Amino acid sequence: MQSDMRELLRIAAPTAAVGAVAMLIGGLLAGSDGAIGAAVGCAVVIVFMALGMLALQWVARAMPQLFQGMGLMIYSAQLVLLLIFILSIRNTSLFDLQVFALSLVAAVITWITAQTVRHARSKTPYVDPVADVSGRRDGGAGAGRDQ
C-alpha cells in the first residue's frame, strides 16, 4: 500500500501545483470567488481521480482478470458522479463557476499527463523471468521438444 500512496502523491503533486496556480489566477481575475472555485475544481479532480486510481490498483492485485472491465466501470462511475456533482452546484453562488470549470479541466489534463509520464518512465516487466512453465528455470526454452 505504501508504494500505491507514493505513486498517488507523485501524480497528485503536479495537479495540486496547477491548482495553486489556478487559485492565484482565479483570485486575480475573479476575486475570492474565483480562488475558491479554482480550489474546489482542483480538489474535486484530485479526490475523484485518486479514488479511482486506488480502486484500480486494488482490483489489479485482487482480481487481475477483471481489471479492464472494472477500469471501464470505475471511469464511467466517476463521470456519472462528476455530472451529479456539477448538476448539484450549477446554481451556487459560493464560488465562480467559470473558474471552477477551467481549473477542473486544467487539473484533469495535468493528472492525465502526470499519470502518462509516470507510466512511460516506469520499468514494468512484461515477461515474468521466474515463471516456471515446464519445470525449468531457464524460462521454458525448448519446453516443447523431447530431450
Side-chain angles (χ1 to χ4, degrees):
M1 186 70 162
Q2 183 180 4
S3 65
D4 293 347
M5 293 307 288
R6 197 174 299 148
E7 185 73 19
L8 181 68
L9 289 174
R10 288 183 178 140
I11 295 170
T15 307
V18 166
V21 170
M23 284 177 58
L24 179 67
I25 293 171
L28 290 173
L29 297 178
S32 62
D33 287 346
I36 294 170
V40 171
C42 184
V44 165
V45 169
I46 290 174
V47 168
F48 273 61
M49 298 297 249
L51 290 176
M53 184 176 162
L54 290 174
L56 276 177
Q57 287 174 346
W58 178 80
V59 168
R61 277 193 311 275
M63 300 170 280
Q65 68 277 12
L66 298 178
F67 182 73
Q68 193 171 20
M70 289 296 287
L72 182 61
M73 189 191 80
I74 287 170
Y75 290 131
S76 299
Q78 284 177 324
L79 288 175
V80 169
L81 290 173
L82 185 60
L83 177 66
I84 291 169
F85 179 76
I86 289 173
L87 289 175
S88 69
I89 65 164
R90 68 180 170 194
N91 295 324
T92 189
S93 60
L94 296 174
F95 51 82
D96 189 307
L97 289 175
Q98 288 180 333
V99 175
F100 166 79
L102 291 173
S103 67
L104 189 94
V105 169
V108 166
I109 290 170
T110 304
W111 182 281
I112 292 171
T113 303
Q115 196 170 21
T116 303
V117 167
R118 293 284 310 154
H119 180 71
R121 290 183 181 170
S122 71
K123 296 180 180 175
T124 307
Y126 58 91
V127 174
D128 188 4
V130 187
D132 189 12
V133 178
S134 65
R136 299 173 58 167
R137 282 286 194 194
D138 61 357
R145 297 183 299 199
D146 292 327
Q147 296 178 358

